[in-house]
Amino acid sequence: MNIVTAQLNYTIGDFEANSNKILAVIAKYGDTADIIVFSELCISGYYPKDLLLRPEFLGQQNQHLAKIRAATQTTPCAVVIGTVQKNPFQGKPFLNTLEFIEQGETRFHYHKQLLPTYGVFDEARHFEPGNLPGVFLWQGKRLGFLICEDAWQNPNNTFHNYQRDPVAALEHNKLDLIISINASPSSLNQWQARHNLAAATARRCAAPMVYVNQVGAIDELVFDGHSMVYNARGDCVFEADLFVEQVTLHQLQAQLQPQPISQRDTLEIIYRQLLTGLRDYCEKSGFTQVVIGCSGGIDSAVTVAIAALAMGADNVLGVTMPSQYSSLGSIDDSVALCDALGVKLINSPIKQTFETELQTYRKAFGEDPSPLAQENLQARIRGQRLMTYSNSSGAMVVSTGNKTELSVGYCTLYGDMAGGVSLLADLYKQQVYALAEYLNRDVFKRELIPRAIIEKQPSAELAPEQKDSDSLPPYPQLDAFLQLLLEGDLLDNKDIAFLEARA
Protein backbone atom coordinates (compact mmCIF):
# COMPACT_ATOMS: atom_id res chain seq x y z
CA MET A 1 0.00 0.00 0.00
CA ASN A 2 1.01 3.59 -0.65
CA ILE A 3 0.15 5.70 2.39
CA VAL A 4 0.41 9.48 2.70
CA THR A 5 0.91 11.01 6.15
CA ALA A 6 -0.41 14.59 6.18
CA GLN A 7 1.10 16.51 9.11
CA LEU A 8 -0.59 19.92 8.84
CA ASN A 9 -1.14 23.11 10.85
CA TYR A 10 -4.82 23.86 11.48
CA THR A 11 -6.68 26.84 12.96
CA ILE A 12 -9.55 26.39 15.40
CA GLY A 13 -12.87 27.13 13.73
CA ASP A 14 -11.40 28.11 10.35
CA PHE A 15 -13.21 25.38 8.45
CA GLU A 16 -12.45 26.84 5.04
CA ALA A 17 -8.70 27.23 5.51
CA ASN A 18 -8.42 23.82 7.15
CA SER A 19 -10.42 22.03 4.46
CA ASN A 20 -8.48 23.83 1.71
CA LYS A 21 -5.26 22.37 3.13
CA ILE A 22 -6.83 18.94 3.15
CA LEU A 23 -8.17 19.31 -0.39
CA ALA A 24 -4.75 20.43 -1.66
CA VAL A 25 -3.16 17.23 -0.36
CA ILE A 26 -5.90 15.10 -1.94
CA ALA A 27 -5.43 16.90 -5.27
CA LYS A 28 -1.67 16.30 -5.20
CA TYR A 29 -1.56 12.70 -3.99
CA GLY A 30 -4.98 11.33 -4.90
CA ASP A 31 -3.76 9.47 -7.98
CA THR A 32 -0.64 7.94 -6.39
CA ALA A 33 -1.74 7.10 -2.84
CA ASP A 34 -3.99 4.28 -1.68
CA ILE A 35 -4.81 6.04 1.61
CA ILE A 36 -4.18 9.62 2.77
CA VAL A 37 -4.20 10.02 6.54
CA PHE A 38 -4.99 13.33 8.26
CA SER A 39 -5.10 14.06 11.99
CA GLU A 40 -7.71 14.15 14.75
CA LEU A 41 -10.52 16.76 14.40
CA CYS A 42 -8.59 18.30 11.53
CA ILE A 43 -11.49 20.07 9.81
CA SER A 44 -12.35 22.07 12.94
CA GLY A 45 -8.91 22.13 14.54
CA TYR A 46 -8.16 20.63 17.94
CA TYR A 47 -9.55 21.42 20.50
CA PRO A 48 -12.66 23.49 19.63
CA LYS A 49 -13.99 23.44 23.22
CA ASP A 50 -17.39 25.13 23.57
CA LEU A 51 -17.40 26.19 19.93
CA LEU A 52 -18.82 22.70 19.54
CA LEU A 53 -21.99 23.89 21.25
CA ARG A 54 -22.73 26.63 18.74
CA PRO A 55 -25.65 25.64 16.51
CA GLU A 56 -23.75 26.45 13.31
CA PHE A 57 -20.63 24.44 14.19
CA LEU A 58 -21.66 21.04 12.88
CA GLY A 59 -23.35 22.56 9.86
CA GLN A 60 -20.20 24.41 8.81
CA GLN A 61 -18.00 21.39 9.41
CA ASN A 62 -20.30 19.16 7.39
CA GLN A 63 -20.38 21.59 4.47
CA HIS A 64 -16.62 21.30 4.15
CA LEU A 65 -16.70 17.58 4.87
CA ALA A 66 -19.01 17.26 1.86
CA LYS A 67 -16.37 18.98 -0.30
CA ILE A 68 -13.73 16.54 0.93
CA ARG A 69 -15.98 13.59 0.18
CA ALA A 70 -16.67 15.00 -3.27
CA ALA A 71 -12.94 15.29 -3.94
CA THR A 72 -12.56 11.53 -3.47
CA GLN A 73 -15.08 10.81 -6.24
CA THR A 74 -12.53 11.62 -8.91
CA THR A 75 -9.57 9.86 -7.34
CA PRO A 76 -8.86 6.19 -6.57
CA CYS A 77 -7.47 6.86 -3.08
CA ALA A 78 -9.24 6.68 0.26
CA VAL A 79 -9.02 9.35 2.95
CA VAL A 80 -8.84 8.93 6.73
CA ILE A 81 -9.95 12.07 8.50
CA GLY A 82 -10.98 13.26 11.98
CA THR A 83 -14.44 14.80 12.40
CA VAL A 84 -17.12 15.62 14.96
CA GLN A 85 -20.34 13.61 14.70
CA LYS A 86 -23.58 14.16 16.52
CA ASN A 87 -24.32 11.43 19.05
CA PRO A 88 -27.68 9.85 18.08
CA PHE A 89 -28.01 8.13 21.44
CA GLN A 90 -28.09 9.17 25.10
CA GLY A 91 -25.06 10.75 26.69
CA LYS A 92 -22.84 13.64 25.68
CA PRO A 93 -23.90 15.39 22.46
CA PHE A 94 -20.95 14.50 20.21
CA LEU A 95 -18.63 11.72 19.09
CA ASN A 96 -14.95 12.19 18.30
CA THR A 97 -14.85 10.33 15.02
CA LEU A 98 -12.47 8.87 12.46
CA GLU A 99 -14.04 8.57 9.01
CA PHE A 100 -12.74 6.35 6.21
CA ILE A 101 -13.89 8.02 2.98
CA GLU A 102 -13.77 6.50 -0.49
CA GLN A 103 -15.49 7.36 -3.77
CA GLY A 104 -17.43 10.18 -2.18
CA GLU A 105 -18.82 8.17 0.73
CA THR A 106 -17.88 7.37 4.33
CA ARG A 107 -17.31 3.60 4.16
CA PHE A 108 -16.44 3.21 7.84
CA HIS A 109 -16.36 5.28 10.97
CA TYR A 110 -14.75 4.73 14.34
CA HIS A 111 -15.50 6.65 17.54
CA LYS A 112 -12.77 7.49 20.04
CA GLN A 113 -13.09 5.30 23.12
CA LEU A 114 -10.72 6.92 25.64
CA LEU A 115 -11.49 10.56 26.33
CA PRO A 116 -8.73 12.31 28.30
CA THR A 117 -9.67 14.69 31.11
CA TYR A 118 -6.23 15.22 32.68
CA GLY A 119 -3.73 18.02 32.09
CA VAL A 120 -4.86 20.24 29.21
CA PHE A 121 -7.61 17.86 28.09
CA ASP A 122 -11.33 17.91 28.80
CA GLU A 123 -12.85 15.80 26.03
CA ALA A 124 -15.43 14.10 28.24
CA ARG A 125 -17.13 17.48 28.57
CA HIS A 126 -18.40 17.25 25.00
CA PHE A 127 -17.91 13.70 23.71
CA GLU A 128 -19.48 10.34 24.46
CA PRO A 129 -16.92 7.51 24.30
CA GLY A 130 -17.21 4.91 21.56
CA ASN A 131 -17.45 1.26 22.49
CA LEU A 132 -16.66 -0.69 19.31
CA PRO A 133 -13.21 -1.71 18.03
CA GLY A 134 -11.88 0.03 14.96
CA VAL A 135 -11.49 -2.88 12.52
CA PHE A 136 -12.38 -2.56 8.83
CA LEU A 137 -11.86 -4.92 5.89
CA TRP A 138 -10.85 -2.92 2.81
CA GLN A 139 -9.64 -4.31 -0.50
CA GLY A 140 -8.66 -7.56 1.17
CA LYS A 141 -6.70 -5.75 3.92
CA ARG A 142 -7.66 -5.71 7.57
CA LEU A 143 -7.20 -2.18 8.89
CA GLY A 144 -7.20 -1.21 12.55
CA PHE A 145 -7.96 2.33 13.75
CA LEU A 146 -7.16 4.35 16.86
CA ILE A 147 -7.65 7.98 17.82
CA CYS A 148 -4.80 9.43 19.92
CA GLU A 149 -5.58 8.56 23.57
CA ASP A 150 -6.90 5.14 22.55
CA ALA A 151 -3.32 3.86 22.33
CA TRP A 152 -2.20 5.16 25.72
CA GLN A 153 -3.84 2.58 27.99
CA ASN A 154 -0.82 0.43 28.78
CA PRO A 155 1.12 -0.69 31.87
CA ASN A 156 3.61 2.19 31.52
CA ASN A 157 0.92 4.88 31.63
CA THR A 158 0.78 6.45 35.08
CA PHE A 159 -1.66 9.28 34.35
CA HIS A 160 -4.89 7.33 34.44
CA ASN A 161 -6.43 3.91 34.39
CA TYR A 162 -9.23 3.49 31.88
CA GLN A 163 -11.69 0.62 32.08
CA ARG A 164 -10.95 -0.54 28.53
CA ASP A 165 -7.93 -0.93 26.29
CA PRO A 166 -8.76 -0.27 22.61
CA VAL A 167 -5.44 -1.75 21.47
CA ALA A 168 -6.32 -5.07 23.10
CA ALA A 169 -9.41 -5.21 20.90
CA LEU A 170 -7.14 -5.04 17.83
CA GLU A 171 -4.49 -7.54 18.93
CA HIS A 172 -6.03 -10.77 17.64
CA ASN A 173 -7.52 -9.49 14.38
CA LYS A 174 -4.49 -10.31 12.16
CA LEU A 175 -4.29 -6.71 11.00
CA ASP A 176 -2.40 -5.60 7.93
CA LEU A 177 -2.09 -2.01 9.13
CA ILE A 178 -2.90 0.19 12.14
CA ILE A 179 -3.77 3.84 11.51
CA SER A 180 -3.75 6.26 14.44
CA ILE A 181 -4.86 9.89 14.04
CA ASN A 182 -3.72 12.27 16.76
CA ALA A 183 -3.73 15.72 18.31
CA SER A 184 -0.90 15.22 20.78
CA PRO A 185 0.57 18.42 22.28
CA SER A 186 4.28 18.92 22.63
CA SER A 187 6.21 18.46 25.85
CA LEU A 188 9.89 17.87 26.50
CA ASN A 189 9.84 14.06 26.61
CA GLN A 190 6.71 13.45 24.56
CA TRP A 191 8.57 12.51 21.39
CA GLN A 192 10.27 9.60 23.18
CA ALA A 193 7.01 8.54 24.83
CA ARG A 194 5.34 8.43 21.40
CA HIS A 195 8.13 6.26 20.02
CA ASN A 196 7.70 3.82 22.90
CA LEU A 197 3.94 3.83 22.41
CA ALA A 198 4.03 3.22 18.64
CA ALA A 199 6.62 0.47 19.00
CA ALA A 200 4.61 -1.31 21.70
CA THR A 201 1.35 -1.00 19.73
CA ALA A 202 2.91 -2.35 16.52
CA ARG A 203 4.43 -5.31 18.38
CA ARG A 204 1.22 -6.08 20.27
CA CYS A 205 -0.77 -6.24 17.05
CA ALA A 206 2.06 -7.62 14.87
CA ALA A 207 1.19 -5.01 12.26
CA PRO A 208 2.75 -1.84 10.83
CA MET A 209 1.51 1.36 12.40
CA VAL A 210 0.97 4.77 10.82
CA TYR A 211 0.81 7.60 13.38
CA VAL A 212 -0.24 11.05 12.15
CA ASN A 213 -0.16 14.09 14.41
CA GLN A 214 -0.97 17.74 13.78
CA VAL A 215 1.50 20.60 14.09
CA GLY A 216 1.27 24.26 15.11
CA ALA A 217 0.00 26.31 18.04
CA ILE A 218 -3.55 26.83 19.30
CA ASP A 219 -3.53 29.42 22.13
CA GLU A 220 -1.62 27.80 25.00
CA LEU A 221 -1.16 24.45 23.23
CA VAL A 222 1.68 23.73 20.82
CA PHE A 223 1.60 20.61 18.63
CA ASP A 224 4.94 19.35 17.37
CA GLY A 225 3.86 16.93 14.62
CA HIS A 226 6.38 14.08 14.79
CA SER A 227 4.26 11.75 12.68
CA MET A 228 5.72 8.24 12.46
CA VAL A 229 5.58 4.89 10.69
CA TYR A 230 6.54 1.64 12.45
CA ASN A 231 6.94 -1.86 11.04
CA ALA A 232 5.29 -4.94 12.52
CA ARG A 233 8.39 -5.74 14.61
CA GLY A 234 8.12 -2.41 16.40
CA ASP A 235 10.96 -0.69 14.52
CA CYS A 236 10.69 2.96 13.48
CA VAL A 237 10.91 3.29 9.69
CA PHE A 238 9.95 6.97 9.39
CA GLU A 239 9.59 10.00 11.62
CA ALA A 240 8.56 13.44 10.44
CA ASP A 241 10.37 16.52 11.63
CA LEU A 242 9.16 18.50 14.62
CA PHE A 243 7.18 21.76 14.40
CA VAL A 244 6.83 21.89 10.59
CA GLU A 245 4.16 20.87 8.13
CA GLN A 246 5.22 17.73 6.28
CA VAL A 247 3.31 15.57 3.81
CA THR A 248 5.06 12.30 2.94
CA LEU A 249 4.28 9.36 0.64
CA HIS A 250 5.26 5.94 2.03
CA GLN A 251 5.43 2.60 0.26
CA LEU A 252 4.46 0.05 2.90
CA GLN A 253 6.21 -3.06 1.66
CA ALA A 254 6.41 -6.41 3.39
CA GLN A 255 9.80 -5.66 4.95
CA LEU A 256 10.08 -2.09 6.16
CA GLN A 257 13.67 -1.33 7.08
CA PRO A 258 14.25 0.36 10.45
CA GLN A 259 16.05 3.66 10.78
CA PRO A 260 17.78 5.21 13.80
CA ILE A 261 15.49 7.30 15.97
CA SER A 262 16.51 10.95 15.95
CA GLN A 263 17.92 12.21 19.22
CA ARG A 264 16.27 15.43 20.35
CA ASP A 265 18.12 18.09 22.32
CA THR A 266 15.94 19.46 25.12
CA LEU A 267 16.92 23.07 24.43
CA GLU A 268 16.18 22.65 20.73
CA ILE A 269 12.68 21.43 21.58
CA ILE A 270 12.14 24.35 23.96
CA TYR A 271 13.38 26.84 21.36
CA ARG A 272 11.29 25.47 18.51
CA GLN A 273 8.20 25.16 20.70
CA LEU A 274 8.47 28.80 21.81
CA LEU A 275 9.10 29.92 18.25
CA THR A 276 6.06 28.04 16.95
CA GLY A 277 3.88 29.13 19.86
CA LEU A 278 4.52 32.85 19.46
CA ARG A 279 4.44 32.88 15.66
CA ASP A 280 1.21 30.91 15.38
CA TYR A 281 -0.52 32.80 18.18
CA CYS A 282 0.18 36.09 16.44
CA GLU A 283 -0.69 34.88 12.94
CA LYS A 284 -3.91 33.16 14.00
CA SER A 285 -4.97 36.10 16.18
CA GLY A 286 -4.20 38.74 13.56
CA PHE A 287 -1.15 40.38 15.18
CA THR A 288 1.71 41.40 12.91
CA GLN A 289 3.90 43.17 15.48
CA VAL A 290 4.86 42.74 19.13
CA VAL A 291 6.20 45.09 21.80
CA ILE A 292 8.38 44.00 24.74
CA GLY A 293 9.73 45.78 27.79
CA CYS A 294 13.54 45.56 27.80
CA SER A 295 14.96 45.67 31.31
CA GLY A 296 18.48 44.54 30.47
CA GLY A 297 17.83 41.26 32.30
CA ILE A 298 17.97 37.69 31.05
CA ASP A 299 14.21 37.15 30.74
CA SER A 300 13.50 40.14 28.53
CA ALA A 301 16.65 39.43 26.50
CA VAL A 302 15.58 35.89 25.64
CA THR A 303 12.01 37.06 24.98
CA VAL A 304 13.19 39.73 22.53
CA ALA A 305 15.51 37.25 20.81
CA ILE A 306 12.77 34.64 20.32
CA ALA A 307 10.33 37.31 19.14
CA ALA A 308 12.83 38.58 16.57
CA LEU A 309 13.29 35.05 15.24
CA ALA A 310 9.55 34.32 15.20
CA MET A 311 8.23 37.62 13.85
CA GLY A 312 11.22 39.20 12.13
CA ALA A 313 13.24 41.94 13.82
CA ASP A 314 11.36 44.69 11.97
CA ASN A 315 8.12 43.55 13.63
CA VAL A 316 9.48 43.73 17.20
CA LEU A 317 9.70 46.91 19.27
CA GLY A 318 11.70 47.02 22.47
CA VAL A 319 11.00 49.66 25.12
CA THR A 320 13.46 50.33 27.92
CA MET A 321 11.85 52.18 30.83
CA PRO A 322 14.53 53.06 33.37
CA SER A 323 13.76 54.45 36.80
CA GLN A 324 16.07 56.05 39.34
CA TYR A 325 16.97 52.50 40.45
CA SER A 326 17.98 51.24 37.01
CA SER A 327 21.71 50.80 36.48
CA LEU A 328 23.43 52.33 33.48
CA GLY A 329 24.65 48.84 32.67
CA SER A 330 21.11 47.56 32.25
CA ILE A 331 20.26 50.38 29.83
CA ASP A 332 23.48 49.79 27.88
CA ASP A 333 22.81 46.05 27.79
CA SER A 334 19.33 46.64 26.33
CA VAL A 335 20.83 48.86 23.65
CA ALA A 336 23.51 46.28 22.83
CA LEU A 337 20.95 43.47 22.65
CA CYS A 338 18.54 45.29 20.34
CA ASP A 339 21.35 46.61 18.13
CA ALA A 340 22.69 43.08 17.71
CA LEU A 341 19.24 41.68 16.86
CA GLY A 342 18.23 44.58 14.62
CA VAL A 343 15.29 45.44 16.88
CA LYS A 344 14.23 49.07 17.32
CA LEU A 345 14.55 50.22 20.94
CA ILE A 346 12.75 53.20 22.48
CA ASN A 347 14.01 54.78 25.70
CA SER A 348 11.02 55.91 27.77
CA PRO A 349 12.03 56.68 31.39
CA ILE A 350 9.44 56.30 34.15
CA LYS A 351 11.15 58.37 36.90
CA GLN A 352 8.97 61.44 36.45
CA THR A 353 5.76 59.42 36.25
CA PHE A 354 6.76 57.46 39.36
CA GLU A 355 7.45 60.62 41.36
CA THR A 356 4.15 62.17 40.24
CA GLU A 357 2.29 59.05 41.37
CA LEU A 358 4.02 59.18 44.78
CA GLN A 359 3.04 62.84 45.23
CA THR A 360 -0.55 62.10 44.25
CA TYR A 361 -0.68 59.20 46.71
CA ARG A 362 0.74 61.33 49.57
CA LYS A 363 -1.82 64.04 48.88
CA ALA A 364 -4.71 61.56 48.96
CA PHE A 365 -3.61 59.28 51.85
CA GLY A 366 -1.25 61.41 53.88
CA GLU A 367 1.70 59.04 53.73
CA ASP A 368 4.04 57.32 51.28
CA PRO A 369 3.14 53.90 49.86
CA SER A 370 5.00 51.01 51.48
CA PRO A 371 8.34 49.97 49.96
CA LEU A 372 6.71 46.91 48.35
CA ALA A 373 3.89 49.03 46.96
CA GLN A 374 6.46 51.39 45.43
CA GLU A 375 8.18 48.47 43.73
CA ASN A 376 4.91 47.25 42.28
CA LEU A 377 3.97 50.78 41.25
CA GLN A 378 7.03 50.97 39.00
CA ALA A 379 6.13 47.66 37.36
CA ARG A 380 2.55 48.85 36.81
CA ILE A 381 3.70 52.10 35.23
CA ARG A 382 5.80 50.07 32.80
CA GLY A 383 2.93 47.68 32.10
CA GLN A 384 0.55 50.60 31.54
CA ARG A 385 2.95 52.23 29.09
CA LEU A 386 3.36 49.04 27.07
CA MET A 387 -0.38 48.39 27.02
CA THR A 388 -1.08 51.98 25.96
CA TYR A 389 1.30 51.55 23.04
CA SER A 390 -0.35 48.21 22.24
CA ASN A 391 -3.83 49.72 22.24
CA SER A 392 -2.66 52.60 20.07
CA SER A 393 -0.57 50.66 17.54
CA GLY A 394 -2.14 47.20 17.49
CA ALA A 395 1.15 45.54 18.47
CA MET A 396 0.75 42.76 21.04
CA VAL A 397 2.58 42.97 24.36
CA VAL A 398 4.69 39.90 25.08
CA SER A 399 5.30 39.57 28.82
CA THR A 400 8.62 38.29 30.08
CA GLY A 401 8.03 36.46 33.40
CA ASN A 402 9.46 32.97 33.87
CA LYS A 403 7.87 30.02 35.67
CA THR A 404 10.03 30.34 38.77
CA GLU A 405 9.08 33.94 39.47
CA LEU A 406 5.45 33.46 38.51
CA SER A 407 5.17 30.41 40.78
CA VAL A 408 6.35 32.27 43.89
CA GLY A 409 4.64 35.58 43.12
CA TYR A 410 7.85 37.48 42.38
CA CYS A 411 5.99 39.51 39.77
CA THR A 412 3.35 42.24 39.58
CA LEU A 413 -0.27 41.93 38.55
CA TYR A 414 -1.11 44.54 35.85
CA GLY A 415 2.63 45.21 35.59
CA ASP A 416 5.17 42.73 34.25
CA MET A 417 2.40 40.10 34.07
CA ALA A 418 0.48 42.15 31.47
CA GLY A 419 0.51 40.94 27.88
CA GLY A 420 -1.14 38.75 25.30
CA VAL A 421 1.38 35.92 25.58
CA SER A 422 3.73 35.05 28.44
CA LEU A 423 6.45 33.44 26.37
CA LEU A 424 8.65 32.07 29.18
CA ALA A 425 5.87 31.18 31.62
CA ASP A 426 6.65 27.45 31.49
CA LEU A 427 10.44 27.79 31.79
CA TYR A 428 12.28 27.80 35.10
CA LYS A 429 14.92 30.51 35.59
CA GLN A 430 17.84 28.15 34.99
CA GLN A 431 16.21 27.00 31.74
CA VAL A 432 16.03 30.63 30.60
CA TYR A 433 19.78 31.00 31.15
CA ALA A 434 20.44 27.74 29.32
CA LEU A 435 18.23 28.86 26.44
CA ALA A 436 20.21 32.11 26.11
CA GLU A 437 23.41 30.09 25.78
CA TYR A 438 21.75 27.79 23.23
CA LEU A 439 20.55 30.71 21.12
CA ASN A 440 24.01 32.24 20.96
CA ARG A 441 25.77 28.94 20.32
CA ASP A 442 23.41 26.97 18.06
CA VAL A 443 20.96 29.45 16.51
CA PHE A 444 22.79 32.75 16.04
CA LYS A 445 26.24 31.09 15.91
CA ARG A 446 27.60 34.21 17.63
CA GLU A 447 27.03 36.24 20.76
CA LEU A 448 23.92 38.33 20.11
CA ILE A 449 22.60 38.08 23.66
CA PRO A 450 25.38 39.99 25.43
CA ARG A 451 27.55 38.06 27.86
CA ALA A 452 26.99 40.84 30.40
CA ILE A 453 23.25 40.01 30.50
CA ILE A 454 23.90 36.30 31.00
CA GLU A 455 26.51 36.78 33.73
CA LYS A 456 25.07 39.66 35.75
CA GLN A 457 23.45 38.98 39.11
CA PRO A 458 19.66 39.00 38.53
CA SER A 459 17.76 41.97 39.90
CA ALA A 460 14.33 43.51 39.43
CA GLU A 461 15.97 46.95 39.99
CA LEU A 462 12.92 48.31 41.81
CA ALA A 463 14.79 49.43 44.93
CA PRO A 464 18.33 50.61 45.78
CA GLU A 465 20.97 47.88 45.30
CA GLN A 466 18.22 45.27 44.98
CA LYS A 467 19.06 41.66 44.07
CA ASP A 468 16.69 38.75 43.50
CA SER A 469 18.60 36.81 46.15
CA ASP A 470 17.38 39.34 48.76
CA SER A 471 13.89 37.87 48.47
CA LEU A 472 14.38 34.42 46.95
CA PRO A 473 16.59 31.37 47.51
CA PRO A 474 19.34 30.84 44.92
CA TYR A 475 17.68 29.98 41.63
CA PRO A 476 19.26 26.49 41.25
CA GLN A 477 17.73 25.50 44.59
CA LEU A 478 14.42 27.25 44.00
CA ASP A 479 14.02 25.72 40.55
CA ALA A 480 14.66 22.24 41.91
CA PHE A 481 12.17 22.64 44.77
CA LEU A 482 9.51 24.07 42.45
CA GLN A 483 9.94 21.30 39.94
CA LEU A 484 9.46 18.72 42.66
CA LEU A 485 6.44 20.57 44.01
CA LEU A 486 4.77 21.36 40.68
CA GLU A 487 5.80 18.39 38.55
CA GLY A 488 6.68 15.64 41.00
CA ASP A 489 3.97 13.41 39.59
CA LEU A 490 5.69 13.58 36.19
CA LEU A 491 9.12 12.55 37.43
CA ASP A 492 10.54 9.11 38.08
CA ASN A 493 12.66 8.26 41.11
CA LYS A 494 15.92 8.93 39.25
CA ASP A 495 14.78 12.45 38.31
CA ILE A 496 13.69 13.19 41.87
CA ALA A 497 17.00 11.96 43.33
CA PHE A 498 18.89 14.19 40.87
CA LEU A 499 16.83 17.25 41.77
CA GLU A 500 17.14 16.65 45.49
CA ALA A 501 20.93 16.34 45.13
CA ARG A 502 21.05 19.53 43.06
CA ALA A 503 19.02 21.38 45.69
Side-chain angles (χ1 to χ4, degrees), residues 68-335:
I68 294 167
R69 287 181 179 140
T72 67
Q73 290 180 327
T74 58
T75 180
C77 82
V79 168
V80 173
I81 198 164
T83 69
V84 177
Q85 280 193 5
K86 189 173 182 179
N87 179 15
F89 306 108
Q90 290 184 338
K92 296 298 173 65
F94 305 108
L95 298 163
N96 186 336
T97 301
L98 176 153
E99 297 195 32
F100 188 96
I101 301 171
E102 182 186 31
Q103 294 294 299
E105 296 182 6
T106 296
R107 305 290 189 187
F108 177 81
H109 58 249
Y110 167 73
H111 305 309
K112 188 174 185 177
Q113 298 183 60
L114 306 185
L115 303 176
T117 56
Y118 59 90
V120 299
F121 304 106
D122 193 18
E123 288 192 34
R125 173 179 172 85
H126 302 103
F127 292 112
E128 185 70 13
N131 54 21
L132 296 176
V135 179
F136 178 53
L137 182 64
W138 178 73
Q139 295 187 359
K141 305 287 187 180
R142 296 184 69 83
L143 307 179
F145 297 104
L146 298 166
I147 302 178
C148 203
E149 189 77 3
D150 289 337
W152 287 87
Q153 177 63 5
N154 59 75
N156 296 322
N157 192 335
T158 59
F159 290 109
H160 41 70
N161 184 25
Y162 296 107
Q163 298 303 307
R164 60 167 66 98
D165 179 2
V167 176
L170 303 180
E171 279 188 72
H172 305 295
N173 278 279
K174 298 182 179 179
L175 299 176
D176 295 289
L177 178 66
I178 304 164
I179 294 174
S180 176
I181 64 173
N182 303 267
S184 176
S186 175
S187 62
L188 290 186
N189 298 313
Q190 190 73 348
W191 65 273
Q192 184 62 62
R194 292 195 201 108
H195 273 304
N196 297 339
L197 178 81
T201 302
R203 284 194 295 267
R204 286 177 67 184
C205 298
M209 181 175 184
V210 172
Y211 177 105
V212 176
N213 192 27
Q214 74 175 55
V215 70
I218 302 291
D219 293 336
E220 75 276 14
L221 296 182
V222 180
F223 299 90
D224 55 5
H226 194 229
S227 301
M228 303 175 293
V229 178
Y230 267 72
N231 65 23
R233 297 186 300 273
D235 303 315
C236 179
V237 300
F238 167 80
E239 56 176 336
D241 199 3
L242 298 178
F243 302 104
V244 295
E245 291 188 313
Q246 187 171 341
V247 181
T248 309
L249 176 65
H250 312 270
Q251 294 181 336
L252 297 190
Q253 304 165 349
Q255 297 296 326
L256 296 172
Q257 296 303 311
Q259 68 174 40
I261 295 174
S262 299
Q263 297 304 305
R264 308 290 181 177
D265 181 85
T266 296
L267 289 169
E268 178 194 1
I269 293 175
I270 290 174
Y271 158 64
R272 295 181 68 182
Q273 181 169 314
L274 294 179
L275 199 71
T276 301
L278 180 59
R279 180 189 293 140
D280 271 21
Y281 184 89
C282 289
E283 287 182 0
K284 293 176 182 181
S285 301
F287 293 104
T288 59
Q289 296 181 318
V290 297
V291 57
I292 301 165
C294 294
S295 68
I298 190 67
D299 298 312
S300 63
V302 170
T303 301
V304 171
I306 294 291
L309 290 162
M311 307 292 294
D314 291 344
N315 296 314
V316 180
L317 177 67
V319 184
T320 182
M321 294 168 281
S323 72
Q324 59 267 48
Y325 305 121
S326 300
S327 66
L328 291 177
S330 293
I331 301 171
D332 292 342
D333 290 341
S334 294
V335 172

Side-chain angles (χ1 to χ4, degrees), residues 295-300 325 327 330 333 402 404-405 410 429-430 432-433 451-476 478-479:
S295 68
I298 190 67
D299 298 312
S300 63
Y325 305 121
S327 66
S330 293
D333 290 341
N402 62 70
T404 302
E405 293 163 359
Y410 196 64
K429 189 76 170 186
Q430 295 299 102
V432 178
Y433 280 109
R451 178 57 45 186
I453 291 178
I454 297 173
E455 294 180 351
K456 74 171 63 173
Q457 189 170 358
S459 169
E461 294 192 334
L462 297 172
E465 304 299 323
Q466 184 183 41
K467 299 291 185 290
D468 288 3
S469 56
D470 298 337
S471 303
L472 301 175
Y475 279 116
L478 182 57
D479 284 356

Side-chain angles (χ1 to χ4, degrees), residues 283-456:
E283 287 182 0
K284 293 176 182 181
S285 301
F287 293 104
T288 59
Q289 296 181 318
V290 297
V291 57
I292 301 165
C294 294
S295 68
I298 190 67
D299 298 312
S300 63
V302 170
T303 301
V304 171
I306 294 291
L309 290 162
M311 307 292 294
D314 291 344
N315 296 314
V316 180
L317 177 67
V319 184
T320 182
M321 294 168 281
S323 72
Q324 59 267 48
Y325 305 121
S326 300
S327 66
L328 291 177
S330 293
I331 301 171
D332 292 342
D333 290 341
S334 294
V335 172
L337 171 75
C338 291
D339 283 350
L341 294 171
V343 169
K344 182 179 179 181
L345 179 68
I346 291 177
N347 189 334
S348 179
I350 67 165
K351 179 180 178 180
Q352 183 177 348
T353 305
F354 177 57
E355 291 176 346
T356 300
E357 288 292 333
L358 291 181
Q359 293 171 7
T360 303
Y361 187 92
R362 289 189 203 105
K363 184 176 180 180
F365 298 101
E367 61 182 5
D368 282 338
S370 70
L372 178 60
Q374 291 188 40
E375 292 184 24
N376 288 327
L377 174 59
Q378 294 169 70
R380 291 192 176 104
I381 291 170
R382 290 179 172 127
Q384 177 188 22
R385 194 158 296 178
L386 292 175
M387 289 305 301
T388 300
Y389 178 82
S390 175
N391 293 161
S392 180
S393 67
M396 184 187 73
V397 179
V398 180
S399 57
T400 59
N402 62 70
K403 187 169 187 172
T404 302
E405 293 163 359
L406 292 169
S407 297
V408 297
Y410 196 64
C411 50
T412 303
L413 192 64
Y414 315 123
D416 55 334
M417 295 175 69
V421 166
S422 185
L423 191 65
L424 308 181
D426 205 27
L427 295 186
Y428 297 101
K429 189 76 170 186
Q430 295 299 102
Q431 289 178 311
V432 178
Y433 280 109
L435 184 57
E437 300 280 13
Y438 173 83
L439 290 171
N440 280 345
R441 182 184 65 247
D442 295 325
V443 178
F444 298 130
K445 309 293 186 183
R446 55 199 174 105
E447 188 180 289
L448 295 191
I449 298 177
R451 178 57 45 186
I453 291 178
I454 297 173
E455 294 180 351
K456 74 171 63 173

